[in-house]
């Protein structure tokens, strides 16, 4: 400790004696602590807070003695500027934990002659829950017990025992004696506090939160944790309460209710609303509560989807919101600094007489005393220091509430509601820009008339009417109004509930235009939205329009350890996450945020990550029953578009299931299986995990027909058998399919070994005449049985992607060059080697962009609507539709010209 620190402590004790009667008395009662601090030994003083009391003393006396010392030393260290707000509040919170544990242990020792606390736990909320306890704060606990494990005395049931323990605990902590008190206990945050007992059975509490809890209870549990007693029981409760607090699909009515709560607080504490004498630092406009509500509102919106945002500590949570790109750095830094100052001044108020007060004194001399305690000249200086703080906090909070609750940007012509009377409604719609207002007016009348089940409830109708003006305006600006209206009608009739969907649109008016674009352009996305309206939630964050991350990052994102050992819950989490990612990728393409080639690669990474995560889960379940086979592991080979790392929105997954090691071994589990049977059953489990539809939706179709001997062969074979089959028995089309093979699951050693064997086989030389003859026949058969879908089918038309693939694979097999499973890379490699003309790379890119885009805009390969043509042209890098048609023709001509070069016969485009 430096001389400067020692001087700071001495000055802090002087200010404490002069301005805070409570601290003056504490200094007189604990001279040993005052001496340590006068010597600059703050850490030693902290360590000595609990010393000087008989070890055999009653727990009440011991805890009060330590609390008295801790209150003194923390106050002086704080006043000296040597302890931060976080250090002070953490020390107080940790002591509260220790005190509750010590009190419970003493109760159990007295009742049962055993200090181990079983069947009774303390859940704490509020500032104690966030480990940011006030200098003179209540503790906000919920007492829970397990009737099955709580010890009872003779002729006493568990409920009676729990109430007696609870009353005794409150008495030990709160009763004021000659040594003071430990902590006041505020029991009003327990469920139905006005009628419920002090301690609740744990299952009854869970039932309350699952079925009838209020919004403020959800927000309160952001800062909840198990702090004392039976920790295993407390952790069980917190694990099961998590879905109530952190909802992946947030009801935006919650945000409205938080905003309304703010208004009620401001109204109720109106006398302390504005800065000046009497200002309430906690509840006043721009005060502590508004920083906390700002943070918690963001956590409620985003925390269900990102567990990193769930900290109960306000300052930590703000920092995590910055890290997630939700709150700007400068805004968070400002709020954090202001929060620290507001909490610090609040502590000064409470140091004066150890009272739980939050209001600046109204008397000038008392306000001056608080200011001098803080190191300022007088009350005017203190108010002046707070003035910019409360103004800036209020401005930031008000802007958030306005944006989240549908204010500000949500205002629109007719934001007071659209008329019921048909003629007036048509006039309003005409003013919004509808050239055929009667059509929309008729549809609105139909919706209002209860044609859609989800709009028959008062809550559903209210949510619909609130967003209807803005929705009508968005439809007026839709690229294809007729199509958007028809798809909106389908969506409204398909959604099981429209309440949250419309509340989200009301709270996020920027999403309205995106929805209008999706309804206009992308039937597959509109269909997905009709099945799962919460898909729109995933577009709340700006990061939703970032490209999908690496496979490893996505695998981590798709993990959900909160599900514990619940296999189905884990599978459902992957389904939900994949659905959101695919929907976001489609939205990125529709909005022109990403190149379709990048979107295709993103689709493939999402599919691969889903395969990896679901295979892990399926294997873990399978191993629990059947064990493992020594020296053998499953290996999954992707072919087709997944193998090439470029999927469309509608692609299925071409997979071949293999296993390493020898045939004939047996697994070591409770129900052992031979290797062939083991791996075939395991492959079926993995396929089921990928394909079986659940309430959370379906994932992918899996095609296993490219395995050895096709549908007649085993579902899973050894890698050695697979390579031997390719060498000795496979048809040319199977060799061509192998050109796009890529191991996507298995250990790095097994995947590298398989990839090496495939590359060695592909590069080993093949009979050119057989390759060309077989490919020509195969393409002819395909054309006969699978004709193009329509005039814009970039895949199956002559000169389309299938023809390009045949050309590339024939060249790869004959030359052994360009052996990349990625078709674009293979084309570039063959061009560089002189195997293909230079224009083939351009043709590949345009055809692929067109295919990926058309799978969303016109899956039937038809010419898209006039409104959609500009989007398709833009996605393909063309200035307009006519330019695209010319480029499409040129690309097909390039491919058919190359066809003639490779196969020696013409291919008419």
């Amino acid at each position: 400790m430096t001389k400067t620190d020692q001087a700071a402590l001495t000055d802090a004790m002087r200010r404490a004696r002069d301005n805070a009667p409570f601290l003056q008395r504490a200094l007189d009662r604990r001279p040993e602590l005052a001496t340590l601090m006068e010597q600059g030994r703050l850490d030693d003083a902290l360590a000595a807070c609990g010393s000087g009391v008989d070890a055999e003393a009653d727990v009440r006396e011991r805890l009060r003695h330590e609390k008295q010392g801790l209150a003194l030393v923390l106050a002086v260290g704080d006043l000296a500027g040597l302890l931060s707000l976080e250090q002070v509040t953490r020390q107080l919170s940790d002591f509260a934990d220790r005190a509750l544990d010590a009190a419970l242990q003493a109760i159990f020792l007295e009742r049962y002659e055993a200090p181990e606390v079983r069947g009774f736990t303390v859940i704490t909320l509020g500032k104690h829950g966030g480990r940011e306890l006030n200098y003179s704060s209540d503790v906000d606990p919920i007492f829970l017990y397990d009737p099955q494990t709580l010890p009872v005395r003779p002729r006493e049931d568990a409920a009676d025992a729990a109430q007696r323990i609870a009353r005794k605990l409150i008495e030990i902590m709160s009763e004021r004696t000659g040594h003071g008190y430990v902590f006041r206990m505020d029991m009003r945050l327990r469920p139905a506090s006005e009628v419920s007992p002090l301690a609740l059975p744990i299952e009854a509490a869970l039932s309350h939160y699952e079925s009838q809890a209020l919004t403020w209870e959800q927000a309160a549990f952001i800062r909840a944790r198990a702090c004392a007693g039976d920790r295993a029981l407390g952790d069980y409760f917190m694990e099961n309460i998590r879905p109530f607090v952190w909802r992946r699909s947030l009801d935006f009515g919650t945000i409205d209710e938080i905003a309304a709560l703010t208004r009620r607080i401001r109204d109720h504490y109106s006398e302390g609303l504005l800065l000046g004498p009497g200002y309430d630092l906690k509840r006043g406009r721009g005060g502590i509560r508004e920083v906390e509500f700002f943070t918690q509102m963001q956590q409620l919106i985003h925390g269900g989807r990102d567990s990193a945002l769930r900290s109960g500590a306000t300052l930590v949570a703000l920092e995590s919101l910055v890290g997630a790109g939700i709150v700007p750095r400068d805004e968070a830094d400002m709020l954090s600094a202001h929060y620290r100052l507001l909490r610090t001044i609040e502590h000064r108020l409470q140091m004066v007489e150890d009272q739980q007060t939050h209001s600046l004194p109204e008397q000038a001399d008392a306000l001056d005393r608080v200011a001098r305690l803080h190191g300022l000249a007088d009350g005017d200086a203190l108010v002046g220091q707070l003035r910019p703080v409360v103004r800036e906090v209020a401005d930031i909070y008000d802007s958030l509430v306005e944006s989240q609750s549908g204010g500000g940007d949500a205002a629109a012509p007719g934001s007071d509601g659209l008329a019921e009377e048909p003629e007036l409604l048509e006039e309003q719609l005409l003013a919004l820009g509808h050239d055929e207002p009667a059509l929309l007016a008729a549809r609105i009348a139909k919706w209002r008339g209860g044609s859609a089940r989800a709009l028959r409830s008062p809550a559903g109708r209210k949510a619909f009417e609130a967003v209807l003006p803005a929705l009508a305006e968005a439809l007026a600006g839709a690229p294809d109004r007729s199509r958007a209206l028809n798809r909106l009608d389908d969506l409204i009739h398909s959604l099981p509930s429209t309440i949250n969907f419309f509340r989200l649109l009301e709270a996020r008016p920027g999403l309205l235009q995106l929805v209008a674009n999706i309804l206009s352009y992308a039937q597959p996305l509109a269909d997905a939205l009709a099945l799962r309206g919460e898909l729109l939630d995933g577009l709340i964050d700006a990061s939703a329009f970032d490209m999908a991350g690496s496979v490893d990052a996505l695998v981590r994102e798709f993990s959900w350890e909160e599900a514990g050992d619940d296999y189905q819950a884990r599978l459902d989490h992957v389904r939900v996450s994949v659905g959101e990612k695919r929907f976001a990728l489609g939205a990125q393409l529709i909005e022109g945020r990403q190149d379709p080639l990048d979107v295709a690669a993103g689709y493939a990474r999402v599919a691969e990550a889903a395969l990896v995560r679901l295979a892990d889960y399926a294997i873990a379940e399978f191993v629990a029953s059947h064990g493992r086979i020594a020296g053998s592991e499953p290996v999954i080979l992707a072919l087709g578009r997944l193998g090439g790392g470029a999927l469309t929105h509608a692609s299925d997954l071409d997979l071949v299931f293999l296993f390493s090691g020898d045939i004939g071994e047996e697994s070591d589990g409770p129900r052992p299986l031979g290797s062939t049977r083991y791996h075939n059953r395991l492959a079926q489990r993995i396929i089921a995990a990928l394909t079986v539809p659940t309430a959370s939706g379906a994932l992918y179709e899996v095609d296993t027909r490219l395995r050895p001997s096709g549908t007649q062969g085993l579902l899973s074979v050894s890698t050695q058998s697979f390579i031997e089959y390719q060498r000795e028995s496979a048809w040319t089309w199977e060799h061509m399919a192998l050109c796009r093979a890529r191991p996507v699951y298995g250990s790095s050693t097994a995947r590298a070994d398989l990839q090496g064997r495939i590359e060695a086989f592909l590069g080993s030389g093949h009979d050119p005449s057989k390759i060309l003859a077989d490919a020509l026949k195969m393409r002819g058969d395909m054309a006969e049985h699978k004709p193009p879908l329509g005039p814009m089918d970039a895949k199956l038309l002559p000169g389309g992607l299938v023809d390009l693939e045949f050309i590339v694979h024939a060249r790869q097999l004959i030359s052994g060059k360009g052996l990349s499973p990625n078709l674009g890379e293979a084309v570039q490699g063959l061009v560089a080697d002189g195997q293909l003309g230079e224009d083939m790379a351009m043709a590949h890119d345009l055809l692929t962009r067109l295919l990926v885009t058309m799978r969303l805009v016109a899956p039937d390969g038809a010419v898209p609507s006039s409104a959609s043509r500009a989007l398709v042209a833009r996605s393909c890098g063309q200035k307009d539709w006519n330019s695209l048609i010319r480029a499409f023709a040129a690309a097909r001509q390039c491919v058919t010209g190359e066809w003639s070069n490779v196969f020696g016969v013409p291919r008419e485009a």
Side-chain angles (χ1 to χ4, degrees):
M1 186 70 69
T2 67
K3 288 185 178 180
T4 302
D5 293 342
Q6 186 174 357
L9 286 168
T10 300
D11 178 66
M13 284 190 285
R14 177 191 59 77
R15 282 185 279 128
R17 287 187 180 279
D18 292 346
N19 299 291
F22 168 72
L23 294 180
Q24 180 185 39
R25 294 191 295 272
L27 285 165
D28 292 340
R29 288 173 182 152
R30 301 296 297 271
E32 78 283 8
L33 299 179
T35 299
L36 289 171
M37 290 188 289
E38 286 170 354
Q39 297 170 354
R41 297 164 59 189
L42 181 62
D43 290 341
D44 291 339
L46 280 170
C49 288
S51 62
V53 66
D54 189 343
E56 300 299 319
D58 180 76
V59 67
R60 295 171 176 79
E61 182 180 347
R62 287 189 283 109
L63 292 177
R64 283 158 176 76
H65 181 78
E66 183 174 356
K67 173 64 181 302
Q68 183 186 76
L70 192 63
L72 170 62
V73 176
L74 290 177
V76 173
D78 182 1
L79 291 170
L82 300 179
L83 293 176
S84 67
L85 172 71
E86 292 93 319
Q87 289 173 308
V88 171
T89 57
R90 184 59 183 258
Q91 290 262 13
L92 288 167
S93 300
D94 288 350
F95 172 68
D97 290 0
R98 296 197 306 274
L100 286 164
D101 264 328
L104 275 173
Q105 288 169 5
I107 293 169
F108 270 64
L109 187 61
E110 179 183 338
R111 284 181 61 85
Y112 311 115
E113 297 184 354
E116 180 189 3
V117 179
R118 291 188 297 110
F120 191 98
T121 191
V122 180
I123 306 297
T124 188
L125 298 93
K127 287 187 167 60
H128 182 208
R131 291 188 171 90
E132 47 186 13
L133 202 57
N134 270 350
Y135 186 78
S136 180
S137 179
D138 293 351
V139 170
D140 299 302
I142 296 174
F143 299 150
L144 303 174
Y145 69 93
D146 179 7
Q148 305 302 316
T149 58
L150 181 69
V152 295
R153 291 170 167 174
R155 295 184 299 281
E156 178 184 60
D157 63 23
D160 290 337
Q163 305 319 310
R164 292 186 176 109
I165 293 168
R167 285 194 293 271
K168 191 73 170 179
L169 179 58
I170 294 170
E171 176 193 325
I172 291 174
M173 296 291 290
S174 302
E175 184 181 34
R176 190 176 290 272
T177 71
H179 298 283
Y181 67 100
V182 188
F183 287 102
R184 292 177 295 268
M185 307 284 277
D186 187 342
M187 304 300 300
R188 290 175 295 177
L189 292 187
R190 73 185 190 276
S193 61
E194 66 281 0
V195 295
S196 64
L198 291 174
L200 299 170
I202 192 164
E203 296 301 334
L206 286 171
S207 176
H208 167 82
Y209 290 114
E210 289 170 356
S211 61
Q212 53 187 304
L214 301 174
T215 297
W216 68 263
E217 291 178 290
Q218 181 190 1
F221 264 89
I222 291 176
R223 297 194 287 187
R225 62 186 175 88
C227 71
D230 187 333
R231 289 299 206 284
L233 182 64
D235 291 342
Y236 166 81
F237 176 81
M238 293 306 302
E239 181 71 24
N240 282 274
I241 204 71
R242 186 180 288 112
F244 158 69
V245 185
W246 303 112
R247 302 172 184 172
R248 287 185 61 83
S249 179
L250 177 68
D251 179 352
F252 269 75
T254 300
I255 305 305
D256 291 338
E257 292 183 38
I258 292 176
L261 179 60
T262 301
R263 290 190 291 271
R264 290 197 296 272
I265 290 172
R266 286 178 172 178
D267 291 344
H268 185 75
Y269 294 95
S270 57
E271 70 279 4
L273 192 62
L274 300 178
L275 182 62
Y279 172 73
D280 192 315
L281 289 163
K282 179 178 180 180
R283 305 176 186 89
R285 186 173 187 274
I288 293 166
R289 182 66 61 79
E290 294 191 359
V291 180
E292 293 171 346
F293 276 8
F294 173 93
T295 307
Q296 290 166 10
M297 196 181 298
Q298 302 280 21
Q299 288 179 284
L300 284 174
I301 294 171
H302 304 283
R305 315 171 70 82
D306 185 350
S307 60
L309 305 179
R310 299 178 185 176
S311 173
T314 302
L315 294 172
V316 176
L318 270 174
E319 189 62 30
S320 68
L321 289 167
V322 173
I326 296 166
V327 176
R329 165 57 66 188
D330 58 345
E331 196 170 275
D333 286 348
M334 179 186 295
L335 286 174
S336 296
H338 292 350
Y339 184 71
R340 288 187 176 95
L341 179 62
L342 290 165
R343 291 289 308 274
T344 298
I345 302 302
E346 181 185 43
H347 283 185
R348 301 293 180 261
L349 296 174
Q350 296 171 352
M351 289 173 185
V352 174
E353 276 295 2
D354 190 26
Q355 293 178 342
Q356 192 191 19
T357 180
H358 314 283
S359 298
L360 298 179
E362 295 187 3
Q363 298 76 23
D365 60 337
L367 184 59
D368 290 343
R369 186 182 305 121
V370 173
R372 289 193 296 270
L373 181 63
H374 188 56
L376 299 174
D378 53 30
D380 288 342
L382 177 59
V383 171
Q385 187 178 36
L386 290 171
R387 183 166 288 109
V389 169
V390 299
R391 183 184 67 247
E392 289 170 355
V393 169
D395 288 347
I396 291 173
Y397 182 72
D398 285 346
S399 65
L400 175 70
V401 169
E402 185 175 287
S403 67
Q404 297 296 346
S405 60
D409 294 340
S415 59
D416 293 333
L418 291 183
E420 295 273 353
E421 199 277 319
E423 290 186 6
L424 183 55
L425 175 58
E426 287 185 29
E427 290 177 9
Q428 290 176 321
L429 295 176
L430 186 64
L432 287 172
H434 287 273
D435 52 7
E436 294 183 291
L439 292 177
L440 179 55
R443 202 68 63 97
I444 291 173
K446 180 182 172 186
W447 294 331
R448 284 170 165 170
S451 67
R453 176 172 50 85
L455 292 180
R456 292 172 190 167
S457 71
R461 176 73 177 270
K462 181 181 178 182
F464 169 70
E465 291 290 348
V467 79
L468 183 54
L471 183 60
E473 185 175 21
L475 285 172
D480 190 332
R481 296 177 188 175
S482 176
R483 182 167 295 185
L485 178 58
N486 288 334
R487 288 176 178 168
L488 176 63
D489 187 57
D490 292 341
L491 187 150
I492 288 174
H493 282 83
S494 299
L495 283 170
S497 172
T498 58
I499 297 172
N500 201 40
F501 180 77
F502 286 131
R503 279 178 170 172
L504 174 56
L505 291 179
E506 183 188 9
R508 285 287 195 275
L511 289 178
L512 278 166
Q513 189 57 56
L514 173 59
V515 170
N517 289 343
I518 287 172
L519 296 175
S520 294
Y521 294 133
Q523 180 72 52
L525 297 184
D527 290 344
L529 200 56
L531 290 173
R532 293 185 56 225
E534 63 271 18
L535 285 172
L536 208 57
D537 294 6
L539 303 182
I540 292 173
D541 297 336
S543 61
F545 289 94
D546 294 341
M547 183 44 61
S550 68
V551 172
D552 288 343
L554 288 167
V555 169
R556 290 192 295 272
E557 192 172 342
F558 294 166
S559 301
W560 194 35
E561 299 311 317
E562 293 175 15
D565 295 326
D566 189 336
Y567 179 62
Q568 191 57 53
R570 288 181 169 186
L571 299 191
D572 283 345
H573 174 71
V574 176
R575 281 173 166 75
V576 170
S577 300
V578 170
E580 291 171 352
K581 291 293 182 186
R582 293 173 72 189
F583 187 81
L585 284 165
Q588 290 173 26
L589 193 151
I590 293 300
E591 292 293 283
R593 303 290 187 95
Q594 303 287 351
D595 187 320
L597 296 178
D598 294 329
V599 171
Y603 280 137
R605 292 196 297 275
V606 169
E608 185 176 344
L611 169 62
V612 170
R613 178 47 70 216
L614 290 172
D616 283 344
Y617 290 155
I619 290 169
E621 284 286 299
F622 193 79
V623 166
S625 298
H626 302 290
R628 299 183 185 275
I629 297 177
S632 180
E633 62 170 296
V635 184
I636 303 176
L637 186 66
L639 296 97
R641 291 203 157 273
L642 180 60
L647 296 181
T648 71
H649 188 82
S651 294
D652 57 12
L653 308 184
D654 293 306
L655 302 178
V656 173
F657 290 87
L658 306 172
F659 59 89
S660 63
D662 297 328
I663 297 173
E665 300 297 326
E666 190 172 76
S667 65
D668 58 7
R671 295 158 58 193
L673 295 171
S675 58
T676 299
R677 195 175 180 194
Y678 178 97
H679 285 289
N680 276 266
R681 282 197 184 178
L682 179 54
Q684 291 171 343
R685 288 283 188 92
I686 296 171
I687 292 171
L690 281 162
T691 60
V692 173
T694 70
S696 298
L699 275 186
Y700 298 99
E701 294 294 326
V702 172
D703 189 339
T704 61
R705 290 175 295 175
L706 294 177
R707 68 186 187 268
S709 302
T711 56
Q712 304 303 313
L714 291 170
L715 186 58
S716 181
V717 300
S718 71
T719 54
Q720 182 63 37
S721 297
F722 177 74
I723 296 300
E724 288 176 359
Y725 172 83
Q726 291 292 333
R727 288 197 186 108
E728 299 169 7
S729 307
W731 297 77
T732 297
W733 66 265
E734 291 176 289
H735 295 164
M736 295 176 71
L738 200 64
C739 291
R740 301 184 76 180
R742 181 171 60 93
V744 291
Y745 188 84
S747 66
S748 57
T749 301
R751 283 185 282 121
D753 175 68
L754 178 59
Q755 187 69 52
R757 293 188 188 203
I758 291 171
E759 290 176 358
F761 170 72
L762 291 175
S764 63
H766 300 268
D767 181 354
S769 60
K770 179 173 174 53
I771 295 294
L772 297 175
D774 288 351
L776 275 172
K777 183 179 185 308
M778 192 188 333
R779 183 65 183 102
D781 292 342
M782 181 183 290
E784 183 178 343
H785 294 98
K786 199 171 184 181
L789 294 172
M792 297 301 295
D793 189 341
K795 180 178 179 181
L796 293 172
L797 280 169
L801 277 169
V802 169
D803 284 355
L804 186 146
E805 291 167 6
F806 269 70
I807 292 167
V808 169
H809 297 332
R811 287 294 197 198
Q812 288 174 312
L813 290 173
I814 292 169
S815 69
K817 304 293 185 181
L819 291 176
S820 170
N822 181 281
L823 192 61
E825 293 177 2
V827 170
Q828 292 172 0
L830 291 169
V831 169
D833 195 60
Q835 299 285 324
L836 295 179
E838 292 183 0
D839 289 345
M840 284 291 282
M842 174 277 298
H844 166 271
D845 290 355
L846 185 130
L847 292 170
T848 302
R849 288 187 175 104
L850 182 58
L851 177 73
V852 173
T853 305
M854 290 289 287
R855 285 292 187 262
L856 284 176
V857 175
D860 58 0
V863 174
S865 67
S866 56
S868 300
R869 292 172 192 172
L871 181 150
V872 179
R874 180 198 67 204
S875 295
C876 295
Q878 304 300 313
K879 65 179 182 178
D880 55 35
W881 181 253
N882 289 333
S883 298
L884 173 61
I885 293 300
R886 289 192 295 270
F888 184 31
R892 292 175 60 200
Q893 189 65 48
C894 175
V895 173
T896 56
E898 198 68 46
W899 181 279
S900 298
N901 293 336
V902 173
F903 294 104
V905 296
R907 178 74 167 137
E908 296 296 332

